[in-house]
């Protein structure tokens, strides 16, 4: 990784935890940018801040536990005060492609139940419109070849995700198929249509708008405000 991009991730990741208050429930996304938010949050907790966190993946849960954060189950909370997550692509309107690490389904669920939602990215992730990057679909193993062929027969490039020469299996025990669209003009429509295909559990187009996007830049962090944070 280029050191400058790493610094941008760190700046954005750190910024997202600045206003967290005692007693809050925090949703934690997955990936190399939110990693810095988790790191910074754990420092604050060591200095006395009291929060509970919900992890969106086994990876995030393991990191949070290692850093001494108190994990709580989504079923056991009334509401999530704030969720912090990364993105593979984000527009300034707040449309996103996510799921580069395969955690899209849990990430979308946690985002859905969050009062406030912020996204942390380096500047390479900010785009004018979505497209050109793989859109992950979490699919059931049952009939997986049929699901892939359905997209291919419609002329959509679709690839079963493989990692370290093995088929990638999500934390939920499913496969990921990456599908490719050169340009995504109507994200809400595509999000609905992808989820309508039997066998598709969830897709990586996210249309719940974050309240704020923190974009790490060379000079600092750009904050793109979409809707007011409700409590911070
Ligand atoms: C994981 C995700 C990540 O948020 C996304 O892939 C961005 O990750 P990173 O910050 O490592 O670039 O959606 O499923």
């Amino acid at each position: 990784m280029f050191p400058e991009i790493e610094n941008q991730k760190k700046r954005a990741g750190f910024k997202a935890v600045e206003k967290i208050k005692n007693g809050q429930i925090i949703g934690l996304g997955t990936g190399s940018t939110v990693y810095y938010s988790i790191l910074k949050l754990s420092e604050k907790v060591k200095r006395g801040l009291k929060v509970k966190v919900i992890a969106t993946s086994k990876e995030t849960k393991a990191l949070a536990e290692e850093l001494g954060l108190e994990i709580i189950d989504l079923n056991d909370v009334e509401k999530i005060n704030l969720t912090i997550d990364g993105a593979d692509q984000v527009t300034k309107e707040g449309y996103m492609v996510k799921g580069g690490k395969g955690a899209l389904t849990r990430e979308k669920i946690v985002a859905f139940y969050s009062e406030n939602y912020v996204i942390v990215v380096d500047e390479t992730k900010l785009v004018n419109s979505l497209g050109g990057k793989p859109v992950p679909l979490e699919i059931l193993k049952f009939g997986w070849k049929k699901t892939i062929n359905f997209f291919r027969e419609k002329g959509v490039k679709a690839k079963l995700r493989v990692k370290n020469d093995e088929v990638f299996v999500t934390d939920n025990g499913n496969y990921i198929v990456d599908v490719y669209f050169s340009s995504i003009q109507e994200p809400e429509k595509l999000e609905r249509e992808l989820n309508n295909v039997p066998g598709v559990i969830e897709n990586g187009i996210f249309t719940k708008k974050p309240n704020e996007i923190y974009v790490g830049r060379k000079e600092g962090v750009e904050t793109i405000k979409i809707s007011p944070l409700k409590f911070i």
Side-chain angles (χ1 to χ4, degrees), residues 9 30-34 85-88 98-104 107 120 125:
K9 286 177 189 237
T30 297
S32 58
T33 315
V34 85
D85 205 349
D88 301 308
K98 289 181 45 54
K101 310 290 175 304
L104 59 150
E107 288 174 337
V120 289
K125 309 287 187 60

Side-chain angles (χ1 to χ4, degrees), residues 8-20:
Q8 293 184 7
K9 286 177 189 237
K10 189 188 287 186
R11 283 185 201 114
F14 282 5
K15 170 89 182 162
V17 304
E18 275 177 6
K19 296 177 197 157
I20 293 176

Side-chain angles (χ1 to χ4, degrees), residues 33-135:
T33 315
V34 85
Y35 163 82
Y36 288 109
S37 304
I38 300 170
L39 216 58
K40 195 48 128 188
L41 183 60
S42 77
E43 284 174 18
K44 288 176 152 240
V45 164
K46 284 191 184 94
R47 289 201 299 270
L49 180 75
K50 294 204 176 350
V51 292
K52 291 180 184 169
V53 302
I54 294 171
T56 54
S57 62
K58 289 180 183 169
E59 182 188 307
T60 291
K61 183 167 183 274
L63 176 67
E65 273 171 354
E66 189 190 317
L67 293 173
L69 296 175
E70 186 177 343
I71 315 263
I72 187 163
D73 193 291
L74 177 57
N75 289 319
D76 297 333
V77 303
E78 207 178 296
K79 63 181 177 191
I80 303 169
N81 299 109
L82 170 72
T83 287
I84 306 167
D85 205 349
D88 301 308
Q89 285 191 320
V90 59
T91 68
K92 62 180 186 332
E93 293 79 25
Y95 291 116
M96 293 179 274
V97 171
K98 289 181 45 54
K101 310 290 175 304
L104 59 150
T105 303
R106 295 189 192 190
E107 288 174 337
K108 204 178 271 191
I109 295 170
V110 169
F112 186 79
Y113 292 108
S114 298
E115 257 187 341
N116 296 282
Y117 185 34
V118 301
I119 293 298
V120 289
V121 289
D122 63 78
E123 64 185 2
T124 64
K125 309 287 187 60
L126 188 63
V127 293
N128 289 327
S129 61
L130 302 181
K133 280 273 163 83
V135 174

Side-chain angles (χ1 to χ4, degrees), residues 89 91 93-97 108 128-132 135 181-195 203-209:
Q89 285 191 320
T91 68
E93 293 79 25
Y95 291 116
M96 293 179 274
V97 171
K108 204 178 271 191
N128 289 327
S129 61
L130 302 181
V135 174
F181 303 95
S182 52
S183 159
I184 298 170
Q185 294 304 323
E186 297 177 283
E188 280 103 349
K189 185 164 174 258
L190 185 58
E191 183 184 25
R192 277 195 309 272
E193 284 176 356
L194 292 171
N195 279 2
N203 72 82
I205 296 183
F206 280 51
T207 55
K208 171 168 173 164
K209 304 284 175 59

